[in-house]
Amino acid sequence: MSQSPSTVHRPAGLLSRGQCILFGALLALPLLELVFDLGISAPTRFVLGFAIVGIGLNVVVGFTGLLHLGIAAFMAIGAYAFAILTCTIYPFQIGFWPGLLAALLIGAVAGAFLGAPTLRLRGDYLAIVTLGFGEIVQDLLKNLELITKGTQGINPLPTPWFFGATFASDTPKSWYFLYLGILLACTMLVRNLEHSRIGRQWFAVREDELAARCMAIRPDRVKLTALAVGAGLAAVGGALLASLISSTGEPGNYDFQISILALCIVIVGGIGSLTGVIVGALVMVGMNSILLPMLGQKLQQAGIGTTTSVYLAPDNYKYLLFGLALVLMMRFKPKGIVAAKEEDH
Amino acid sequence: MFEWFDSDVLLQQLLLGLSNGMIIALIALGYTMVYGIIELINFAHGDLFMLGSFLALTLVGVAMNCGIVDPELMGASSHWWLLGTLVLVCGVFCGGLNLCIDHFAYKPLRRASKLSQLVAAIGVSFIIVNVGLFWGGLPMDILGGGGAAAAPKDFPHLVSDTNLLGEESFVVMTWNDVVIFVVTIPLMIALTLFVKFTKLGMAMRATAQHATAARLMGVDVNKVIAATFAIGGFLGGAASVLYANYNSTVSFQMGFRAGMDAFTAAVLGGIGSLPGAMLGGLLIGLVRAMSDQYVGSEWTNVVVFSLLVLILIFRPTGLLGLKQREKV
């Protein structure tokens, strides 16, 4: 907080210009499909789900400056909370929207639960604790078979409904628009938080904890809210992604690699910038879930066997791409593709 | 009274825990040295260790195919010279690689925030994991191991499998256990002496205490950091051969687990402290072995990670770490 209060920038509208352009483009994406038969609105739903996770992680890493390496755990918590509360094999069956809301709340509580004892830790130690938490949650979900069905995962999950309309797997486009709407709501929520009192406190703690303390800000409490908001949004993202495939998948799916994918989304896109995070999700998840599988298919069609050689399956370059993305971004463009504006804060 | 309690089982698990603990300690030294000098959690260290074991596997495969060693005799007789060579070669390989990683990935970020260095280290770790996956895709049936690229690969016992405690003894102790202590203990003693009594060791301790002050006293800090990475990598490489030989399997994903165990050990002992890392490694090895036996192996990772979280929360300086600790 280097500026005097009079220069603190107030947002004029609900979205910044960059965000308007981005959402306009995302809204127009399925229109593109009317002309070209790309079939990308179905996999792009995964991008939207991960973008919500990225927005949550951005609150923790970008706004508050805490390195979080276990965000996948909260995706798992969201997905499993959603599944247990909505799946037909459990007695609750509260439906899609209440389930989503419950995932948000349970995720936020879990985030606060992790945060409460760990906030006094130094930055890198906190990172390791979040990583450890991610591993513990995976193993817990795997081992508590009575509740979580172990490695089978919970399925089937309900598809969303919206004012009487239900969404089936053969209508990816309406599903896409629904998820885009949820992403828009999350973006506006976090944008409002960012420019409110709590958002300015996040930035203050990130920039200088001691100075923030001198301004009567309690860093513990501020970090706790950041962790809770981040975890809640990640849980929503996890629930949405699980609803897409109608299963939580096995607990091993929510591994360190997913946490790092989310971190890549934030760092590549632009740490601290909401527009950047959505761009990052488009780049990273687009590469991970759309481009690489598509490339693999093309290779297979071209008669180059992807099953025989490990080097010819594009999927096997995933780790390399994630790793290079992190190393090169840190080295050459630490602010990401869309750099957050300093004067915003 | 306690049906599940059997002193033989306990002894066996103790031995297993100690042996694995010594290996973890060797890896933990690499973490603790680097952290002591530049306060970086060298996330890629565990994966470097994995790469060392792949090199060892490849070299053993080559040696078998060139007729230098007889595949039939693996596990039946001891190949001390082969094991010794592997420890040296893999140590030098990992040390050199660690040096390069520091030079290309971490050194340009020295002035950046600590978290961006950590992110870069995670990136390097992922790159190495991918290298390991591709390494496993090499014709490993000629080079040793075999199976699909991503599958765990068998590593032969390089020293004799016969039970040193006699054939009828329930507790099994073989040369594979002994060799771990034969290699790790001298290495640890040598490291301690090196840090205590050589000029470079003194420079390391000075840099760990205060890098700027050390530089003003004429210490070439960059050289010291490079040496730290090289030594840490060497120890990791040596540990990788012992690990592969003892546990008979290597996989491209094992670096993450091993790295987390070792990091937990370093933190448990007090990060930055050499004896702390050794003690922490032994304790983590024992905790793992006991948890495998008495809690259930599916809970072992939960136990270890919970331990890590609890130590960090309640005693972040670890067992042997002091406020005014002597680092490295």
Side-chain angles (χ1 to χ4, degrees):
Chain A
M1 296 289 277
S2 53
Q3 292 93 2
S4 61
S6 62
T7 62
V8 170
H9 177 74
R10 291 243 157 230
L14 288 169
L15 292 175
S16 73
R17 197 197 300 162
Q19 284 156 6
C20 287
I21 297 171
L22 190 60
F23 274 99
L26 284 172
L27 207 58
L29 188 75
L31 294 179
L32 208 65
E33 260 187 0
L34 295 175
V35 189
F36 310 102
D37 184 27
L38 291 168
I40 50 170
S41 65
T44 310
R45 292 175 303 175
F46 289 95
V47 175
L48 299 178
F50 271 107
I52 295 173
V53 177
I55 286 177
L57 185 62
N58 183 47
V59 170
V60 183
V61 180
F63 293 167
T64 323
L66 308 170
L67 186 56
H68 196 308
L69 297 178
I71 203 72
F74 297 102
M75 292 170 66
I77 288 171
Y80 272 87
F82 177 76
I84 288 171
L85 289 172
T86 58
C87 183
T88 45
I89 55 173
Y90 292 96
F92 309 104
Q93 298 176 33
I94 60 174
F96 181 81
W97 292 104
L100 206 58
L101 191 66
L104 172 71
L105 294 177
I106 293 173
V109 169
F113 173 77
L114 165 71
T118 53
L119 286 172
R120 258 163 291 157
L121 296 178
R122 287 204 311 264
D124 41 0
Y125 277 7
L126 182 74
I128 293 297
V129 167
T130 54
L131 192 162
F133 188 73
E135 298 300 306
I136 290 172
V137 166
Q138 261 182 68
D139 278 358
L140 281 179
L141 289 175
K142 212 174 290 170
N143 294 341
L144 298 174
E145 277 181 51
L146 273 177
I147 308 169
T148 63
K149 307 280 172 245
T151 50
Q152 290 175 356
I154 301 171
N155 60 67
L157 300 187
T159 53
W161 53 266
F162 197 65
F163 291 115
T166 51
F167 295 76
S169 51
D170 56 341
T171 56
K173 263 187 210 126
S174 42
W175 210 330
Y176 172 88
F177 285 122
L178 180 75
Y179 276 26
L180 190 60
I182 299 175
L183 174 63
L184 183 66
C186 293
T187 311
M188 292 194 321
L189 169 80
V190 174
R191 185 175 150 78
N192 270 325
L193 284 176
E194 182 188 351
H195 294 283
S196 68
R197 182 188 170 84
I198 182 70
R200 290 194 296 275
Q201 289 181 338
W202 287 337
F203 296 129
V205 167
R206 180 189 69 186
E207 294 304 325
D208 194 328
E209 210 175 307
L210 188 65
R213 204 187 286 272
C214 295
M215 296 293 161
I217 292 171
R218 294 180 57 177
D220 285 11
R221 203 177 280 178
V222 172
K223 288 181 189 171
L224 202 62
T225 54
L227 283 176
V229 169
L233 288 173
V236 168
L240 290 178
L241 289 168
S243 169
L244 268 186
I245 55 170
S246 191
S247 165
T248 58
E250 63 160 325
N253 287 350
Y254 301 91
D255 62 357
F256 184 57
Q257 199 195 331
I258 295 295
S259 296
I260 293 303
L261 174 63
L263 189 67
C264 284
I265 289 173
V266 173
I267 285 173
V268 170
I271 190 160
S273 152
L274 285 174
T275 322
V277 171
I278 300 173
V279 171
L282 279 168
V283 172
M284 293 307 298
V285 185
M287 197 167 68
N288 189 28
S289 321
I290 303 176
L291 224 53
L292 289 183
M294 219 186 239
L295 199 64
Q297 238 171 15
K298 285 274 181 313
L299 277 178
Q300 211 151 31
Q301 280 164 5
I304 302 166
T306 54
T307 46
T308 48
S309 173
V310 60
Y311 307 105
L312 287 177
D315 209 39
N316 286 334
Y317 290 84
K318 230 189 283 188
Y319 288 105
L320 195 64
L321 288 172
F322 289 0
L324 279 177
L326 290 179
V327 174
L328 295 178
M329 289 310 278
M330 280 300 127
R331 176 92 157 78
F332 297 108
K333 216 162 172 1
K335 286 189 173 169
I337 299 174
V338 184
K341 289 198 194 79
E342 288 293 329
E343 63 268 21
D344 262 11
H345 316 138
Chain B
M1 190 165 62
F2 297 112
E3 230 172 83
W4 50 269
F5 189 81
D6 183 328
S7 62
D8 277 350
V9 172
L10 181 67
L11 268 180
Q12 182 71 72
Q13 290 303 110
L14 273 176
L15 182 63
L16 195 72
L18 282 179
S19 304
N20 272 320
M22 288 306 275
I23 298 174
I24 295 173
L26 215 50
I27 313 171
L29 284 172
Y31 276 103
T32 218
M33 287 175 72
V34 167
Y35 195 90
I37 292 266
I38 55 172
E39 301 220 322
L40 164 72
I41 299 170
N42 184 9
F43 211 89
H45 192 64
D47 300 293
L48 191 75
F49 157 86
M50 175 274 293
L51 225 48
S53 71
F54 268 65
L55 179 68
L57 179 63
T58 308
L59 291 177
V60 170
V62 169
M64 279 188 198
N65 275 285
C66 296
I68 301 172
V69 289
D70 188 353
E72 302 289 317
L73 288 176
M74 281 296 170
S77 69
S78 299
H79 304 80
W80 291 104
W81 59 270
L82 181 60
L83 192 84
T85 318
L86 284 179
V87 166
L88 267 181
V89 171
C90 294
V92 170
F93 169 73
C94 286
L97 198 58
N98 217 11
L99 202 64
C100 296
I101 291 170
D102 172 52
H103 188 80
F104 289 110
Y106 308 149
K107 202 174 169 191
L109 298 174
R110 228 52 113 210
R111 283 164 198 280
S113 79
K114 248 197 281 176
L115 292 187
S116 43
Q117 294 184 35
L118 180 54
V119 170
I122 294 169
V124 172
S125 141
F126 268 59
I127 294 172
I128 298 180
V129 167
N130 216 139
V131 171
L133 175 66
F134 285 162
W135 194 325
L138 294 175
M140 291 300 263
D141 29 344
I142 306 169
L143 299 174
K153 299 176 190 326
D154 296 332
F155 195 95
H157 274 164
L158 299 178
V159 286
S160 165
D161 274 337
T162 47
N163 194 347
L164 295 175
L165 300 176
E167 283 303 317
E168 59 277 6
S169 162
F170 177 82
V171 181
V172 179
M173 185 172 90
T174 69
W175 283 110
N176 291 296
D177 293 284
V178 177
V179 75
I180 290 175
F181 296 91
V182 170
V183 175
T184 52
I185 291 174
L187 274 179
M188 288 175 185
I189 293 173
L191 180 69
T192 311
L193 294 178
F194 172 80
V195 169
K196 270 224 157 85
F197 295 114
T198 65
K199 217 168 181 184
L200 188 55
M202 199 190 288
M204 274 181 181
R205 283 182 290 147
T207 311
Q209 270 186 11
H210 202 299
T212 315
R215 186 176 281 124
L216 290 175
M217 294 297 129
V219 173
D220 186 346
V221 171
N222 275 329
K223 211 170 90 185
V224 169
I225 295 173
T228 311
F229 271 93
I231 295 171
F234 181 89
L235 297 176
S240 76
V241 179
L242 298 175
Y243 178 92
N245 181 51
Y246 190 65
N247 293 305
S248 304
T249 175
V250 298
S251 112
F252 78 105
Q253 282 167 319
M254 73 186 197
F256 181 67
R257 275 284 160 254
M260 285 323 296
D261 282 351
F263 180 75
T264 308
V267 172
L268 176 61
I271 197 149
S273 141
L274 293 185
M278 299 171 198
L279 179 69
L282 278 180
L283 287 176
I284 290 296
L286 287 174
V287 166
R288 282 201 81 98
M290 293 304 142
S291 162
D292 276 345
Q293 181 65 34
Y294 298 112
V295 184
S297 57
E298 74 270 27
W299 290 103
T300 299
N301 285 325
V302 176
V303 169
V304 172
F305 277 113
S306 308
L307 190 69
L308 172 65
V309 172
L310 290 178
I311 304 161
L312 283 179
I313 292 171
F314 292 109
R315 197 175 159 78
T317 47
L319 294 175
L320 299 187
L322 298 169
K323 276 246 167 81
Q324 285 292 318
R325 62 189 186 264
E326 191 183 52
K327 291 188 287 189
V328 167

